[in-house]
């Protein structure tokens, strides 16, 4: 995994170092703090660049969910939302959708308890989006990635003894508007979350799965 200083990240993103620190604190960039300085994930900077390169305003959670549904079920989209799929490749599309999702990280001594209460996503659900078992891509999975099921975050924190930590192994995802309408997590969302991973093999698997869905959707809905 490669890292950048805040000055280097700022130069690549065309913003100030202070803005980079704000993005880190907002979890819009990944990194970790060493004393008073930050090390910024180069992968998250690339994803941020892809997001800001996309035309228009940042995607809302509602729009992101509608694209996920359409790609997952080969459903039609209104013209303006259909253009979002047509005019972005898999990397730009995944970055735009991922902008509507935030991730909080926790430590726990009972990861299985947390896993049982989450809709698993990203590298925790790779078997849903690739023919290769997850362990073939990343070895033994020690981290948990998922969205809350029918429980509140407060209940999960108590039951699984979660402690907020940037170095934790339980990653809880949520849409910015806190809506999660699915009884089962769509494979398209799993692919999007995998595509934002800092593990290059997980990221590649996510982008490949999303590209397959996008290509299939375009074949059926583009004249």
């Amino acid at each position: 995994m490669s890292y950048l200083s805040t000055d280097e990240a700022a130069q690549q993103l065309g913003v100030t170092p202070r803005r980079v620190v704000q993005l880190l604190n907002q979890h819009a960039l990944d990194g970790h703090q060493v004393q008073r300085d930050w090390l910024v994930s180069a992968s998250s900077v690339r994803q941020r660049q892809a997001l800001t390169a996309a035309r228009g305003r940042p995607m809302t959670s509602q729009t992101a969910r509608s694209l996920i549904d359409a790609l997952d079920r080969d459903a039609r989209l209104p013209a303006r939302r259909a253009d979002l799929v047509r005019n972005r490749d898999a990397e730009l599309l995944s970055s735009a959708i991922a902008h509507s999702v935030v991730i909080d990280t926790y430590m726990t001594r009972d990861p299985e308890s947390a896993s049982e209460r989450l809709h698993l996503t990203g590298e925790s659900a790779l078997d849903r989006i690739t023919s290769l078992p997850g362990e073939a891509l990343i070895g033994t999975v020690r981290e948990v990635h998922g969205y809350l099921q029918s429980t509140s975050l407060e209940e999960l924190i108590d039951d699984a003894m979660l402690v907020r930590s940037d170095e934790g192994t339980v990653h809880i995802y949520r849409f910015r508007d806190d809506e999660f309408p699915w009884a089962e997590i769509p494979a398209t969302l799993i692919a999007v979350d995998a595509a934002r991973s800092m593990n290059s093999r997980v990221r590649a698997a996510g982008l490949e799965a999303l590209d397959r869905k996008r290509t299939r959707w375009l074949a059926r809905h583009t004249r």
Side-chain angles (χ1 to χ4, degrees), residues 50-171:
L51 173 63
T52 55
R55 295 180 294 177
R57 297 177 181 177
M59 190 175 291
T60 66
S61 298
Q62 183 179 14
T63 297
R65 287 191 296 268
S66 71
L67 298 188
I68 291 165
D69 276 334
L71 292 172
D72 220 60
R73 299 184 289 108
D74 287 328
R76 288 190 175 277
L77 283 166
R80 292 182 66 179
R81 290 184 178 179
D83 285 342
L84 295 175
V85 178
R86 295 190 181 101
N87 296 333
R88 289 170 166 83
D89 61 14
E91 184 163 8
L92 283 175
L93 189 59
S94 70
S95 294
I97 294 174
H99 180 76
S100 67
V101 174
V102 294
I103 307 171
D104 294 315
T105 304
Y106 297 84
M107 294 180 64
T108 181
R109 295 182 179 179
D110 189 10
E112 290 187 7
S113 178
S115 179
E116 291 170 356
R117 291 166 171 79
L118 296 173
H119 294 287
L120 297 181
T121 192
E123 66 186 61
S124 295
L126 286 177
D127 290 353
R128 288 276 309 280
I129 63 171
T130 178
S131 58
L132 288 174
E135 289 192 7
L137 292 176
I138 56 176
T140 302
V141 179
R142 293 191 174 93
E143 299 195 350
V144 177
H145 298 255
Y147 295 80
L148 290 172
Q149 292 188 19
S150 55
T151 186
S152 70
L153 178 58
E154 291 74 19
E155 290 173 333
L156 181 60
I157 287 174
D158 289 341
D159 294 344
M161 296 176 288
L162 301 182
V163 177
R164 183 72 178 270
S165 170
D166 291 339
E167 303 300 321
T169 58
V170 176
H171 308 273

Side-chain angles (χ1 to χ4, degrees), residues 174-192:
R174 62 178 176 84
F175 283 94
R176 292 186 183 274
D177 64 1
D178 288 320
E179 294 290 330
F180 189 89
W182 302 287
E184 181 182 23
I185 187 169
T188 299
L189 182 53
I190 294 173
V192 167

